[in-house]
Amino acid sequence: MTELPARRLLLVHAHPDDESINNGATMAKYAAEGAQVTLVTCTLGERGEVIPPELRHLSGAALGQHRMRELTEAMRALGVDDVRLLGGPGRFADSGMMGLPDNDDPACFWQADVDTAAALLVEVIREVRPQVLVTYDPDGGYGHPDHIQAHRVAMRAADLAAEAGCPLAKVYWNRVPRSIAEASFARLHEDLPGLPFAKPAALDDVPGVVDDTRITTEIDGTAYAAAKAAAMRAHATQIEVAEPYFALSNELAQPLFTTEYYELVRGERGPGDRETDLFAGVAAATEGKAP
């Protein structure tokens, strides 16, 4: 039996780069504080659009392998050393954007049986024994089929893990408060002339924007802003960074958030108007031993 760290965080994401954009500062903070941070990525992102011209020859399996190397470098920047591909590398293929023929590929994640994929995630939960799970909302943040499926698989795995005697104390969805997003876009419009991006994204392009009242938790990651930016830069096929902004392959600028926000959807909320710790209210007695 191996003694587990007192705090254990599991994040479930769809593709390499999603973790750095959504949770990079949070991951760096908890890793630096000695928590066990485990990332499960569900696909290799084989159908992602590539930004640098010199890398646009990459596609399919070759792009997936390259993006896995980018993920390894990004996690090095965040100080995270436990990264898993759900079911192993290549088990589930990238499904492409919603509505494309790629969605019909029997090998893609969108077509996966939810219980089968969730059982693979339960294996990780049984090993790592996380108290806290972070994933997407039911829309996957912005409607990508792999993000929606990651949500379904993560939530189903939480149920199955509880049935197996490995309950999660808290489950969070990634969020951005509307007031913060609006203020950040106002600054972006002022700063745009000095940026390498021609146009701004729209507020609706930011995944998980909700009314401020939905936000239960904010994690101040400003001390880890450089780590988050470095992790995002590591995903060079997908992201161009010009702090405190970035752009995806659409070349539309959007804010790079270093305070990251969440909605607690399962578990007991910590004290105060907003939690400032994902582990707020998690009893120290939940320390455990790995099987």
Side-chain angles (χ1 to χ4, degrees):
M1 301 282 282
T2 304
E3 194 74 30
L4 294 170
R7 297 186 298 170
R8 304 177 297 278
L9 171 63
L10 172 65
L11 304 100
V12 177
H13 277 288
H15 317 101
D17 82 346
D18 293 323
E19 80 299 320
S20 297
I21 295 170
N22 286 277
N23 311 114
T26 299
M27 295 171 73
K29 168 184 162 64
Y30 283 110
E33 292 175 355
Q36 172 67 42
V37 179
T38 299
L39 170 67
V40 173
T41 301
C42 298
T43 82
L44 290 171
E46 303 94 331
R47 291 188 167 109
E49 296 181 358
V50 176
I51 294 173
E54 67 273 16
L55 295 176
R56 288 179 187 163
H57 64 282
L58 294 171
S59 63
L63 177 57
Q65 291 170 6
H66 187 91
R67 292 190 69 179
M68 187 62 203
R69 291 193 291 271
E70 291 181 338
L71 179 60
T72 299
E73 184 178 344
M75 293 304 95
R76 187 178 299 115
L78 298 180
V80 173
D81 57 13
D82 189 9
V83 182
R84 322 283 182 101
L85 273 296
L86 185 65
R91 174 66 182 268
F92 301 108
D94 187 343
S95 307
M97 298 300 288
M98 185 67 84
L100 295 179
D102 297 331
N103 303 164
D104 299 323
D105 180 354
C108 79
F109 190 47
W110 182 239
Q111 294 295 330
D113 177 75
V114 169
D115 277 2
T116 299
L120 295 170
L121 185 57
V122 171
E123 292 177 10
V124 179
I125 293 173
R126 289 172 64 91
E127 175 188 345
V128 178
R129 304 284 174 137
Q131 300 117 322
V132 176
L133 168 68
V134 170
T135 191
Y136 311 102
D137 63 18
D139 186 48
Y142 71 107
H144 191 293
D146 286 333
H147 289 235
I148 294 170
Q149 188 77 323
H151 161 84
R152 293 172 178 170
V153 169
M155 299 304 290
R156 179 61 176 148
D159 292 337
L160 294 175
E163 293 172 9
C166 300
L168 294 153
K170 306 176 87 171
V171 177
Y172 290 94
W173 294 344
N174 295 308
R175 292 299 194 193
V176 178
R178 188 169 301 277
S179 66
I180 295 294
E182 289 174 346
S184 298
F185 271 92
R187 289 192 295 273
L188 168 58
H189 281 271
E190 293 176 359
D191 294 343
L192 194 62
L195 298 176
F197 312 120
K199 297 179 180 179
L203 186 66
D204 290 344
D205 292 326
V206 177
V209 174
V210 292
D211 290 340
D212 290 31
T213 54
R214 297 280 296 274
I215 306 299
T216 61
T217 311
E218 62 179 81
I219 302 300
D220 183 357
T222 51
Y224 304 94
K228 176 169 181 170
M232 290 174 65
R233 282 195 180 94
H235 292 289
T237 60
Q238 306 299 305
I239 307 173
E240 183 179 357
V241 178
E243 296 175 72
Y245 305 105
F246 74 98
L248 302 173
S249 59
N250 58 15
E251 300 180 353
L252 301 177
Q254 56 181 297
L256 191 163
F257 297 108
T258 54
T259 295
E260 295 168 344
Y261 300 88
Y262 302 90
E263 179 182 1
L264 178 67
V265 295
R266 293 188 185 180
E268 184 175 346
R269 185 167 171 172
D273 293 336
R274 280 188 187 171
E275 299 175 321
T276 57
D277 179 9
L278 296 176
F279 293 90
V282 174
T286 58
E287 295 181 26
K289 295 181 183 294

